[in-house]
Amino acid sequence: MTTSTRLAAWQARAAPATRDARDTLFMLAVIAWTVAPHLLRLSPWVGVISAGVLLWRALLAWRQAPLPGRWSLIAVLALAAGLTWWTERTLIGKDAGVTLLVVLMSLKTLELRARRDALVVFFLGFFLVLTQFLYSQSLWTALATGVAVWGWLTALTLAHMPAGRPRLRDAGGLAARAALFGTPVMVVLFVLFPRFGPLWAMPGDGASSGLSDHLRLGDVAELANDERIALRVRFDGPAPLPQALYFRGPVLSRYDGEQWRTAWGWPQVRTPPLGSAPAIELRGAPLAYEMTLEAMRVPWLPLLEFTPGRPTASAPLNGLLAAPDDSSQWRLRAPLGERIRLQARAWPQAQRGAELGLAEQRELVELPQGHHPRTRAWATALRQQPRWREADAGALAGAVMQHIRGAGYSYTLAPGVYEGDAVDEFWLDRKAGFCEHFAAAFVVVMRAMDVPARIVTGYQGADAEPQDGYLVVRQSHAHAWAEYWQAGSGWQRADPTAAVAPDRIERSRQLPVPPGLMMSAIEAVSPDLRLQLRAWFEGLDNRWNQWVLGYGRSQQFDLLGKLGFDRPDWIALTRTLVLLLASVGLAGAVWAWWDARRQTPWQKLQAAIRRELGRLGLAAQAHEAPGALAQRVLAAHGDAAKALTASLLALQAQRYGAAGQGRIARGWAREFRRAAAGLRADLEAPKPAGVARAAGTPPR
């Protein structure tokens, strides 16, 4: 290959892409942006196929190569359908449907041969944007989908601008203005459109909980570095001290030597027992609170101890008991799969379960045979001491807590792997563990002394600094404590963690987790920067949850009351919505009538050209292009009209040529008027005798 040939090939590759190639590449970028969030949830093969197809199509567009045949597309589609069936075991449903939609969107780009194919891609793109909200409606999802909608509107705008080579910036600006014009209608519909049942309930964003119906030693410690938010709580009045913030979750009373389990496990039993609530004596002043609870994915509500009355929720709670069950748990028939906001009242000093049947007492002192022999022997020896032989449950619990304080126990996230009998090794040898180690060993010791006891899991404490008036409780606040039963007084809380690590309970001061590389770099710059950034982002998310996702019927009726309605109801809401929509429709009709009669800048420029040529004796028509007008001017006035002819030809190139890209140069109209005025002055000036007329000038 010669040097000139290589130079020509390089110039061909370096030349700017054609209009079709540029628009196609832009649309592929929009598709990639729209599909990307789904790839984080779907099987990895979906991302491989989608990325491969989009890159293939981009290469074809850049090289202006022909599209593949139909059999290639059918083969890829069959492969995708087979993989979908293999991973989802169905072709119907949310995940399977979104999987096929993503693959079909990618494959459709390989058959963009006609305008209708592009329209199908546009409609698929907008529908794919909507599917994002099947998984999440967070603020960040809304922002990402807003960018995707703008991208699709821009691509649609480019498809309706066939002339010239309009800039992406111009098409994007037009799309943004169109979206801005539709924003008031969207806001009106959001504010006034009736909410029906759980359709507008605040969705869960794939959240999960550390709470479970079973517990092994070490399970809670794994949540210590999980900073996801579990719930937010706000009190009507001063917030209680951190040591009073116990959010009660699953109660674990059955033990097999390895795991602690709830008395009624889920999903083994679908419907929780509807037995009578334990005897309750409410003491002290109640605490009224509002809680925003994330999607916990467990059939419990971790409410503040002790909440005896059914809470008022923003969405229907499936199968929620009318009162706490016999273990003071609030249970659901199905896991909580969406974010909810609820209001309730708690009595922290309430006395519960003053009476306990003999069968329940026997069940709550059982320990599996052959497990924890050394710890049981230690408990028996303690009980046989003269001072504790006749002591009640409260005194025995105090003795065990005193032992924990003075026997050299340590509270740690990394106690190491316990081999063999974990309780014996923890209680008597290593004496290092997390909250579940202390709670489990405490319950074993109490049961070995014939005191009914059980483990309670949930959340304890909250972040020190509130966000927008809400205390933030994280998954890292997951906690395990113990309860023992005392005759005549009922169930008493005992938290062994408070004995060995009082700062964890009294100040919600958690054990520090070793930061990663990124967090270490941020903390090196500013120790508080990470916490400040986290608080800022979570504050934004909370406002979004409260003001947008939490906007419901009560807020709608409150708004009608502020607008002057004496009795806000569905009828008033519907009338207001219809009136506003009718007003918007009327305003749109008036604007369309006015818009149909106004002239575009190009039409105005054409009218000015016709006026100037009319003064020169040329009757120009609206359909005539600038090049045709230039030929008529040259034929009529010859060389005297060179400047005016050149101006019209320049307009032709700017409007319709590839170099001009449809843009009219600034100052063209001024130059055109100057050329027309010069020609008119030349024609009107008296000619000396003997001077020949310009070529093409008709004789008088």
Side-chain angles (χ1 to χ4, degrees):
M1 182 180 294
T2 63
T3 303
S4 59
T5 305
R6 287 196 298 268
L7 180 61
W10 180 85
Q11 290 176 344
R13 289 194 299 268
T18 63
R19 160 78 188 275
D20 290 341
R22 186 205 65 179
D23 292 355
T24 301
L25 292 174
F26 176 78
M27 185 175 64
L28 293 176
V30 175
I31 293 174
W33 177 270
T34 305
V35 167
H38 283 303
L39 300 182
L40 301 177
R41 311 181 186 100
L42 302 178
S43 300
W45 65 264
V46 181
V48 173
I49 291 181
S50 299
V53 171
L54 293 179
L55 291 174
W56 184 15
R57 184 63 180 90
L59 184 62
L60 295 177
W62 184 261
R63 294 182 174 179
Q64 301 184 31
L67 298 179
R70 181 159 306 188
W71 288 109
S72 301
L73 302 181
I74 294 176
V76 178
L77 180 60
L79 175 62
L83 291 174
T84 302
W85 179 268
W86 178 61
T87 54
E88 305 294 341
R89 298 302 178 187
T90 182
L91 296 178
I92 302 174
K94 181 177 70 173
D95 292 336
V98 172
T99 297
L100 291 176
L101 184 62
V102 169
V103 175
L104 287 174
M105 164 66 78
S106 303
L107 290 177
K108 189 62 182 176
T109 61
L110 293 175
E111 56 175 8
L112 288 174
R113 294 181 172 87
R115 181 182 179 86
R116 64 179 184 180
D117 296 324
L119 293 178
V120 170
V121 172
F122 296 147
F123 292 139
L124 282 176
F126 285 114
F127 186 75
L128 196 60
V129 169
L130 289 177
T131 59
Q132 301 284 357
F133 296 104
L134 296 176
Y135 297 93
S136 171
Q137 294 184 17
S138 68
L139 173 61
W140 316 115
T141 300
L143 293 176
T145 53
V147 173
V149 168
W150 170 81
W152 284 111
L153 288 176
T154 302
L156 190 60
T157 302
L158 288 172
H160 288 81
M161 300 173 69
R165 185 186 171 94
R167 295 179 299 178
L168 290 178
R169 185 176 64 183
D170 297 337
L174 182 59
R177 290 194 296 273
L180 186 62
F181 290 152
T183 300
V185 178
M186 178 192 69
V187 172
V188 169
L189 290 175
F190 173 80
V191 172
L192 296 177
F193 198 86
R195 265 60 171 167
F196 298 107
L199 182 61
W200 277 271
M202 292 186 291
D205 300 334
S208 60
S209 170
L211 306 182
S212 175
D213 62 349
H214 62 276
L215 173 68
R216 287 180 182 269
L217 297 187
D219 287 352
V220 182
E222 294 177 356
L223 298 171
N225 59 352
D226 188 350
E227 295 188 346
R228 290 177 301 170
I229 294 177
L231 58 94
R232 293 180 173 92
V233 61
R234 179 173 62 184
F235 296 90
D236 293 345
L241 297 175
Q243 56 262 38
L245 296 177
Y246 280 85
F247 300 91
R248 189 181 188 87
V251 178
L252 313 176
S253 57
R254 292 186 175 181
Y255 184 46
D256 61 6
E258 298 291 336
Q259 283 190 345
W260 294 86
R261 295 184 177 275
T262 58
W264 303 285
W266 177 86
Q268 290 83 0
V269 178
R270 293 185 180 179
T271 305
L274 298 177
S276 60
I280 304 170
E281 181 182 348
L282 302 181
R283 298 177 177 178
L287 286 174
Y289 65 95
E290 175 187 303
M291 176 186 294
T292 299
L293 194 61
E294 299 295 323
M296 309 295 287
R297 308 297 182 190
V298 292
W300 292 278
L301 292 182
L303 301 183
L304 191 65
E305 286 192 333
F306 171 72
T307 301
R310 183 186 179 98
T312 302
S314 61
L317 296 173
N318 183 20
L320 181 68
L321 299 179
D325 65 9
D326 292 338
S327 298
S328 300
Q329 303 169 107
W330 282 100
R331 300 173 62 91
L332 300 167
R333 286 192 175 92
L336 184 63
E338 60 186 13
R339 183 185 292 113
I340 61 170
R341 187 171 67 246
L342 51 84
Q343 295 85 30
R345 292 198 300 172
W347 276 261
Q349 302 177 18
Q351 176 178 301
R352 298 168 287 112
E355 300 296 333
L356 194 65
L358 292 178
E360 293 176 289
Q361 292 186 40
R362 287 194 297 270
E363 181 180 351
L364 291 170
V365 298
E366 287 183 355
L367 289 172
Q369 294 295 327
H371 290 271
H372 324 315
R374 298 166 57 203
T375 302
R376 295 165 77 167
W378 183 93
T380 302
L382 177 67
R383 183 63 186 266
Q384 290 177 352
Q385 294 180 16
R387 61 180 300 189
W388 306 119
R389 190 170 298 166
E390 302 299 330
D392 62 7
L396 292 173
V400 177
M401 298 288 278
Q402 186 61 37
H403 170 77
I404 293 174
R405 293 188 185 95
Y409 288 92
S410 61
Y411 180 67
T412 176
L413 283 175
V417 178
Y418 281 97
E419 299 178 355
D421 195 308
V423 173
D424 279 354
E425 188 177 353
F426 163 75
W427 189 250
L428 298 171
D429 300 329
R430 297 169 62 173
K431 299 183 179 181
F434 202 55
C435 60
E436 69 267 34
H437 295 85
F438 289 95
F442 180 90
V443 172
V444 168
V445 170
M446 295 300 289
R447 288 189 175 192
M449 294 189 295
D450 292 327
V451 177
R454 60 195 183 187
I455 294 177
V456 183
T457 59
Y459 300 97
Q460 198 286 320
D463 285 355
E465 296 296 331
Q467 296 180 6
D468 295 333
Y470 287 84
L471 294 176
V472 176
V473 179
R474 304 180 183 278
Q475 295 295 345
S476 56
H477 288 102
H479 191 53
W481 61 95
E483 281 186 341
Y484 64 90
W485 184 77
Q486 184 172 358
S489 299
W491 288 102
Q492 307 295 317
R493 181 199 304 144
D495 194 344
T497 302
V500 68
D503 279 354
R504 166 64 181 87
I505 306 302
E506 296 175 4
R507 298 181 178 86
S508 293
R509 186 173 298 170
Q510 299 166 296
L511 292 174
V513 179
L517 180 62
M518 180 68 71
M519 291 298 102
S520 298
I522 293 178
E523 291 181 357
V525 176
S526 173
D528 297 330
L529 180 59
R530 180 178 68 89
L531 297 178
Q532 293 173 358
L533 291 176
R534 186 183 70 178
W536 185 75
F537 281 113
E538 290 176 350
L540 285 179
D541 188 60
N542 182 50
R543 294 187 186 97
W544 175 264
N545 294 336
Q546 300 297 330
W547 299 345
V548 178
L549 301 185
Y551 185 81
R553 285 173 287 185
S554 60
Q555 288 83 354
Q556 288 180 321
F557 291 158
D558 291 342
L559 176 62
L560 291 181
K562 294 178 181 179
L563 293 177
F565 288 86
D566 296 332
R567 299 178 59 185
D569 54 13
W570 293 113
I571 297 178
L573 185 66
T574 305
R575 287 176 177 172
T576 304
L577 177 62
V578 171
L579 178 61
L580 286 176
L581 290 180
S583 302
V584 171
L586 180 60
V590 172
W591 180 85
W593 175 84
W594 173 79
D595 185 67
R597 283 159 175 76
R598 67 170 182 154
Q599 290 183 326
T600 65
W602 173 243
Q603 291 174 325
K604 292 180 179 179
L605 185 60
Q606 285 182 310
I609 292 173
R610 290 195 299 271
R611 285 196 300 270
E612 291 293 340
L613 295 182
R615 296 174 182 175
L616 294 172
L618 295 175
Q621 302 298 321
H623 65 274
E624 289 184 284
L629 294 177
Q631 294 178 0
R632 292 185 57 191
V633 169
L634 185 61
H637 300 291
D639 293 340
K642 283 185 177 180
L644 186 59
T645 301
S647 178
L648 290 172
L649 291 176
L651 178 62
Q652 174 82 7
Q654 295 171 16
R655 175 64 178 174
Y656 301 108
Q661 300 182 5
R663 298 191 303 272
I664 308 302
R666 182 177 299 179
W668 180 91
R670 181 175 62 255
E671 295 296 331
F672 173 78
R673 288 194 297 270
R674 184 181 302 169
L679 178 59
R680 190 167 55 252
D682 184 61
L683 294 176
E684 293 176 352
K687 302 296 182 181
V691 177
R693 288 190 298 269
T697 304
R700 299 188 179 182

